[in-house]
Amino acid sequence: MSSTYVLAGLLALGLVFAGPIAGWFGSSAELQTGATVFTGIFVQAVPFLVLGVVVSGGIAAFVSPDLLRKLLPRNESAAIGVAGLAGIALPGCECGAVPVSRRLMDQGAPGAAAFAFLLSAPAVNPVVLIATAVAFPGEPGMVAARFTGSLATALVMGFLWARFGRPEWFTTQPRGHEHWVPGRSRWQVFTEAARHDFLQAAAFLVVGAAAAAALHVLVPADWYRSLAGQMLVSILVLALLAVVLALCSEADAFVAASMSSLPLLPRLVFLVVGPAVDVKLFAMQAGTFGRRFALRFAPATFAVATGCGALAGLIFLGAR
């Protein structure tokens, strides 16, 4: 519960020092702009973050890995397809998908199918797609391209693991944060999963919104214009930015939408790469599956997600 106390303490400090903080921001036009951008992103994203957390908690409470394993076909190729599509109906946070995929493997599911689910669940679920539609009004191509690029990433990585993966890359004992534990009541699982997911996702949302605000204030407009004219460079820069920011998938669309000076295509790649590979996911995968696995899986996922995102963008958005 320490993270809950930290959040409560920060909120209390914010209320106590609200006056001085407001005066400090009011003294600078740059700080006012940054505060406006930060607030806009945060306020838009929070409802979808809360909705995603509630759905994720419900999945943790009522859908066990045992059930998921029973639903997977015996044929590995079919299991990869089913696991990838299962992300549509079984949304969850990136952190929750890691231990679930490990447990699926421990219960006999093919590793390729488990990894397809790991990559699809945070990226192609309805909460994320609706948030993307709200963040990019009038751009239905962004929703279709995000869905297609993310699902293609999950399926391609599943088939690549089936072809090239090696069991010796894994550690013998799973480690990580797992919500679904036998013996807990469904309400306990729901509240624990929702609390954990919300605190982690909210923390990264704050970081992402602050980074977006800083980019608006600190980066000259000429830099954005020059980057916008170099499509390949802007795609690579935003793909790397997605890895570093490590945003939750329910809120990253609003951060991408705030980068309005850049073309849609690199911002789409940002949305496809983020839920598939970032610094926090790399750490969790290393702890859950082993460092040898993470050092191979993360770079491959980055390359596949960047390629699938760019290709989906070209199909649905064109070079814009």
Side-chain angles (χ1 to χ4, degrees), residues 5-255:
Y5 296 142
V6 170
L7 179 61
L10 291 174
L11 290 174
L13 288 174
L15 291 173
V16 171
F17 295 102
I21 292 174
W24 181 46
F25 275 86
S27 64
S28 169
E30 290 79 7
L31 288 176
Q32 288 181 359
T33 300
T36 300
V37 173
F38 176 89
T39 303
I41 293 173
F42 195 84
V43 170
Q44 281 186 305
V46 162
F48 295 96
L49 181 62
V50 172
L51 177 59
V53 165
V54 171
V55 173
S56 178
I59 295 297
F62 294 98
V63 182
S64 72
D66 301 286
L67 178 59
L68 291 178
R69 180 182 57 81
K70 293 175 182 177
L71 294 175
L72 291 177
R74 293 182 180 273
N75 179 271
E76 186 175 43
S77 296
I80 292 171
V82 171
L85 293 172
I88 302 173
L90 300 175
C93 67
E94 295 92 327
C95 70
V98 173
V100 169
S101 63
R102 176 65 199 233
R103 188 166 180 187
L104 285 172
M105 292 176 58
D106 290 343
Q107 293 175 341
F115 296 139
F117 175 80
L118 182 154
L119 295 173
S120 71
V124 300
N125 65 74
V127 177
V128 169
L129 298 179
I130 292 172
T132 305
V134 173
F136 291 91
E139 292 290 351
M142 282 293 288
V143 180
R146 181 172 194 179
F147 174 83
T148 303
S150 296
L151 183 59
T153 299
L155 297 179
V156 169
M157 285 304 298
F159 286 114
L160 285 177
W161 178 262
R163 176 66 177 83
F164 300 106
R166 297 290 181 270
E168 58 267 24
W169 294 343
F170 294 127
T171 55
T172 56
Q173 296 295 326
R175 297 188 299 276
H177 187 92
E178 186 168 352
H179 302 309
W180 202 96
V181 177
R184 289 181 179 175
S185 70
R186 285 194 171 98
W187 175 248
Q188 288 175 318
V189 173
F190 172 81
T191 54
E192 194 278 338
R195 181 190 64 82
H196 173 270
D197 293 356
F198 177 78
L199 291 174
Q200 183 178 66
F204 284 106
L205 172 59
V206 169
V207 172
L215 289 173
H216 272 271
V217 174
L218 300 177
V219 178
D222 291 341
W223 186 87
Y224 285 110
R225 284 193 288 269
S226 63
L227 187 61
Q230 304 178 61
M231 187 65 74
L232 290 179
V233 175
S234 61
I235 286 174
L236 181 58
V237 167
L238 286 199
L240 292 171
L241 187 63
V243 174
V244 174
L245 290 185
L247 298 173
C248 63
S249 55
E250 289 91 355
D252 58 1
F254 298 98
V255 175

